[in-house]
Amino acid sequence: EPEVTQTPSHQVTQMGQEVILRCVPISNHLYFYWYRQILGQKVEFLVSFYNNEISEKSEIFDDQFSVERPDGSNFTLKIRSTKLEDSAMYFCASDRDSYEQYFGPGTRLTVT
Amino acid sequence: AQKITQTQPGMFVQEKEAVTLDCTYDTSDPSYGLFWYKQPSSGEMIFLIYQGSYDQQNATEGRYSLNFQKARKSANLVISASQLGDSAMYFCAMRVSLSNQGGKLIFGQGTELSVKP
């Protein structure tokens, strides 16, 4: 069964450093998403991406964040200068219609 | 504003019994989808069941069923014959604007289910 993959599974970084979280969505999917979940809280939408551009972004997704689909398979989330409050689980998701959205296993980001 | 509310932070159920996890939603969009996801302690998000706003019948997937009451704006998850492996966090989510540009999911706060042997 096809699945969304994410690397790394855990990333530790120092405050102020740049991080890139990587995702490989399911190959025939058209829509891609990033969500985050601060420990013990609900899952929050960050950004959606379709047809090589951002289709929607939340208030959380400020100028420190960017997304890219550098080739036909990868989908990346970059945080330019990490803050302590960026520590969270980051989920990538993809779908091809309005039905099930497939989530990756997540990347746990720890900012120290 | 679009919102999902899960009022039960934690629930207990005896193994083999049924349990209902509550979810209410708010949207003025006539076209939407409702989802339930399971998040075990390992952290991944596992899709359980989906209900579209125009679906006439309640969705079922194995031991999971969704009690969809449109007028009440509720979409409760019913798990029948609970198993120890059902112990996890459960999130209700909604997707609006079912357009050809996809649509974000809006999540509730979650309900932590514990199944007792």
Side-chain angles (χ1 to χ4, degrees):
Chain A
E1 187 174 322
E3 58 181 18
V4 177
T5 58
Q6 289 185 244
T7 53
S9 56
H10 191 190
Q11 172 94 45
V12 181
T13 189
Q14 289 194 323
M15 199 166 51
Q17 295 294 307
E18 174 184 286
V19 292
I20 298 177
L21 310 184
R22 302 180 194 280
C23 168
V24 179
I26 294 173
S27 61
N28 63 348
H29 283 187
L30 303 173
Y31 311 103
F32 313 112
Y33 309 84
W34 284 101
Y35 294 86
R36 82 168 184 193
Q37 185 183 29
I38 293 170
L39 187 64
Q41 298 187 22
K42 67 178 179 181
V43 178
E44 300 173 288
F45 167 76
L46 290 178
V47 65
S48 58
F49 194 85
Y50 169 73
N51 203 23
N52 283 319
E53 59 182 27
I54 290 174
S55 49
E56 188 176 359
K57 59 183 181 180
S58 73
E59 292 173 354
I60 304 166
F61 194 87
D62 62 22
D63 292 343
Q64 292 298 313
F65 292 89
S66 61
V67 289
E68 201 175 35
R69 189 155 160 82
D71 52 42
S73 58
N74 291 282
F75 180 49
T76 62
L77 174 70
K78 183 195 288 187
I79 309 175
R80 248 178 285 283
S81 177
T82 49
K83 305 182 198 116
L84 293 175
E85 54 264 37
D86 293 328
S87 294
M89 181 77 97
Y90 288 81
F91 290 103
C92 173
S94 70
D95 63 61
R96 59 173 291 118
D97 55 30
S98 299
Y99 185 52
E100 180 181 347
Q101 208 165 96
Y102 291 78
F103 279 73
T107 292
R108 182 165 298 285
L109 177 65
T110 303
V111 183
T112 60
Chain B
Q2 290 127 9
K3 193 176 176 183
I4 290 282
T5 303
Q6 293 179 255
T7 56
Q8 305 154 314
M11 290 278 286
F12 288 93
V13 66
Q14 205 68 39
E15 194 179 6
K16 298 179 187 171
E17 291 186 352
V19 63
T20 298
L21 306 184
D22 294 342
C23 172
T24 57
Y25 61 92
D26 189 19
T27 180
S28 55
D29 198 310
S31 179
Y32 53 89
L34 297 156
F35 301 75
W36 278 92
Y37 284 85
K38 173 184 178 181
Q39 188 178 44
S41 57
S42 51
E44 72 266 34
M45 296 289 285
I46 302 167
F47 166 76
L48 295 178
I49 197 166
Y50 166 82
Q51 179 86 43
S53 58
Y54 296 119
D55 293 343
Q56 297 295 314
Q57 307 239 346
N58 284 345
T60 59
E61 288 284 349
R63 294 186 299 111
Y64 305 107
S65 59
L66 201 151
N67 184 1
F68 181 46
Q69 298 193 34
K70 200 168 180 177
R72 288 180 153 188
K73 294 192 172 180
S74 75
N76 298 338
L77 176 71
V78 181
I79 306 174
S80 62
S82 298
Q83 302 171 356
L84 295 178
D86 294 335
S87 294
M89 184 71 90
Y90 289 80
F91 289 99
C92 180
M94 175 172 64
R95 184 173 195 170
V96 296
S97 304
L98 302 180
S99 68
N100 60 1
Q101 290 195 358
K104 67 184 180 192
L105 291 177
I106 300 162
F107 285 84
Q109 294 284 1
T111 294
E112 183 155 13
L113 178 67
S114 298
V115 181
K116 294 181 179 180

